[in-house]
Structures are given as structure tokens and as C-alpha cells.
Amino acid sequence: MPPTLLRLLPPLPPGLAYRIVGRALMLQDVRTNTVVDFMNDAIPGFDDPALRRLTLWAAVAVLGVSPHGQAPGLPPPSPASVRFAAIGDMGTGRTPQYEASAALDAQRQTFPFTFVITLGDNIYGGNSARDYRKKFEQPYKALLDAGVLFYAALGNHDSPNQRMYKPFNMNGRQYYTYSKGHVQFFALDSNYMSPQQLAWLDAELRASDADWKICYFHHPLYSSSAYHGSSVELRRVLEPLFARHGVQVVFAGHEHVYERVKPQHGVTYFVEGASGQLRKGNLKRNTTLTAAGFDRDLSFILVEIAGDVLTFRTVSRTGMTVDSGVIERVAD
């Protein structure tokens, strides 16, 4: 969108505001802090630095934001912001996985995430060195070569031996925790939620002083997919811990669709099991659970956490944004 068109943006009614994040133009409901419309690549990225500055500062003049998406006078995004991607059920070694991984790498050029969480079913159909090459190392070579780290959770099609595979950063553990800045991640093994794992999770969540607590695993506690649906038994044991210890966001896979579930007991649940395989048309329509869903193509999720705000964007294999929004942390 050229700067001259930016100047023609219409005034908005009370409660709505324009926002620029990178090259994307958002229409935001300031009362609920949600994105109601989204235009990706609205601000062109010119090779000429002078043209780039002209475009960005036209945005400042018209929309009242800085080139970094902040109001004038505020500093750019904190270098402590945490950027990552989430993928699930990807390890097929087939062409669609390679196409989705290429789209993920293309997004990194404008959204420089530093790590990826995997939501299980990382390697389908074998556990040989050839399987790891064909179904992980080759499709994600560009990301691995760039130093992007992967932190895996195990799915029902995965060998437990994957915990020994160095690029998955599990370090021999079937469940584990790690921190990135002010965010603590808890990777669980939902294939068997043993008493030992539950006790470990309870203790780790209780001891955590992180601003953001994010859990991820394979089987979704809530799902509107017709194939499996919600993992109700797992929900009974995990959801009380999430609510008690202030977990804000949970990611799962297993269903070969994308779904964002309406917040349940203060937790936002994402299902992303369509990064390598798809069950086209599998989402049930008109359910009370779904906030947003996409079952027409492969997809992945991009996430940035800066301070008390988490911004997410779900992107299809073709590069189309199919869902986006903001989650705000409620202070303790």
C-alpha cells in the first residue's frame, strides 16, 4: 500500500484503531484488545532505504505509530521479546510438508523467530537415520542452518527414542521445561500422563515466577474436529493445574486442522496439527468452542510475546494469514 493510500484511510468510530506491526496493517478493537481485521504486507518493503523510510514515516504521520509499530516517542519493541513458531503433525516427508516448511522459512525473513515448538507426530512411520533426514532435517534445513532451535513434544506416532535426538532438544527427557526471557515453556508427554509427570508439572508450575507460562503437548484438551475431538480424560487432570498456577496459553496438535478455542477458565487453547497432514473440512461448524478455525490447507502459528502482550498469526502453506489476534496477560 503506497504512502498516498495510507493518507486516505478513513476515520474510525470510537473503540477502533489502526495499528501497524511490521508490514501488516491491523484494525484493532481497543476495548477488547482483539484484531478484527488484518491486511498482511500492507506496507511494502522497498529495497531502497530512502523509500523504506518514506513509507514508514508516512505511516507515522497518518496513523500515529512509529516504524516499529509503537506510538511516537515510545521505544522500539524490547529486544527481550520472545518470537517463536508452532507446528504439529508435520513429519511425513511428503511434498506438502516441504511446501509448508518453505512457507515457514519465508515468514522468518520478516518475522525473525528464533525457535520452534513441535506439537508431536514429529516423525511418522519409522525411526531410522533416513527418516530423520527425510522428515525433519531436509524440510527444515534452511531454519536449522540459520540456527533456529526446535523443542519437541512427543505424539502418538512418535518413538520415545526421539527424546535422544539432539536437534529436538529434549536431552533424553519425555517431558521438560525451559525459559526464554520472561516466558517459561512446559513440554509434556500426553501419551501417558503418569502420576510422576503430573507431580513434576504441579511442582514446576508452582515454583515458576515467569510472567508467561505456556504448556504444549500432543492431544488437545478441547477440539471441534470430527475425527478425534476433545481429550476429556486428559482435560480432567491437566486443566485444574493450568487454572491453579496461571497458565495462559496451551498448544496441542493431533487433529490435522487449525483451531483456536474460545478461552476456557482463563486459558487460550490452540490446536495446530496441520503442518504436514490435513483433514480437509474436518472442523465441525457452529460449535460453541471455536473462536477461529482453518481446515482447508496446511498451516503454522507465529507468536511474539513482548511484555504483557502476546500477538499471534496463523499462516497457511500459501502464505495467507488465516487467523490473528492479541492475548493480554492479566497481572497477578
Side-chain angles (χ1 to χ4, degrees), residues 220-237:
L221 304 194
Y222 293 92
S223 169
S224 300
S225 179
Y227 195 81
H228 293 296
S230 303
S231 299
V232 178
E233 291 298 322
L234 191 62
R235 185 199 307 168
R236 287 177 182 149
V237 297

Side-chain angles (χ1 to χ4, degrees), residues 52-201:
R52 187 182 298 113
R53 286 194 298 271
L54 176 62
T55 300
L56 292 170
W57 287 111
V60 174
V62 176
L63 303 180
V65 297
S66 79
H68 303 285
Q70 304 291 313
L74 292 180
S78 167
S81 68
V82 177
R83 297 189 188 99
F84 65 96
I87 59 176
D89 300 69
M90 68 287 185
T92 66
R94 298 171 184 160
T95 299
Q97 180 196 7
Y98 279 70
E99 293 172 345
S101 66
L104 178 60
D105 181 57
Q107 291 291 323
R108 192 181 61 85
Q109 309 311 310
T110 54
F111 182 79
F113 56 88
T114 59
F115 64 103
V116 178
I117 63 173
T118 82
L119 308 175
D121 287 357
N122 311 303
I123 307 290
Y124 284 99
N127 201 51
S128 68
R130 181 180 181 275
D131 287 308
Y132 286 101
R133 284 194 302 271
K134 181 180 179 182
K135 301 168 186 178
F136 178 73
E137 294 167 14
Q138 292 175 354
Y140 302 107
K141 184 178 187 304
L143 297 178
L144 292 166
D145 288 350
V148 174
L149 298 175
F150 287 73
Y151 295 91
L154 295 177
N156 57 294
H157 287 283
D158 291 324
S159 165
N161 291 333
Q162 287 183 21
R163 72 190 191 280
M164 310 304 297
Y165 180 54
K166 188 173 180 180
F168 281 170
N169 288 292
M170 300 178 73
N171 298 317
R173 303 163 299 182
Q174 289 185 232
Y175 48 90
Y176 59 103
T177 184
Y178 58 96
S179 294
K180 300 285 185 179
H182 60 309
V183 186
Q184 187 168 355
F185 294 83
F186 303 84
L188 307 180
D189 181 4
S190 60
N191 292 296
Y192 175 48
M193 194 54 57
S194 66
Q196 293 81 2
Q197 184 175 186
L198 284 171
W200 171 87
L201 179 62

Side-chain angles (χ1 to χ4, degrees), residues 240-322:
L241 295 180
F242 297 163
R244 183 184 312 143
H245 296 302
V247 172
Q248 297 101 338
V249 181
V250 170
F251 294 90
H254 197 45
E255 302 286 6
H256 297 170
V257 298
Y258 166 76
E259 182 179 12
R260 174 166 53 91
V261 175
K262 294 175 183 177
Q264 305 291 319
H265 305 285
V267 181
T268 299
Y269 291 89
F270 291 89
V271 179
E272 180 52 278
S275 302
Q277 294 204 88
L278 179 70
R279 291 193 182 100
K280 195 170 184 178
N282 198 240
L283 274 175
K284 298 176 184 176
R285 306 302 172 186
N286 302 316
T287 74
T288 59
L289 280 181
T290 306
F294 183 68
D295 59 2
R296 311 305 296 176
D297 199 355
L298 303 187
S299 56
F300 50 84
I301 308 172
L302 303 172
V303 182
E304 180 169 21
I305 304 176
D308 291 334
V309 177
L310 180 152
T311 305
F312 65 88
R313 184 161 59 93
T314 304
V315 181
S316 76
R317 170 173 44 169
T318 62
M320 178 178 67
T321 296
V322 300

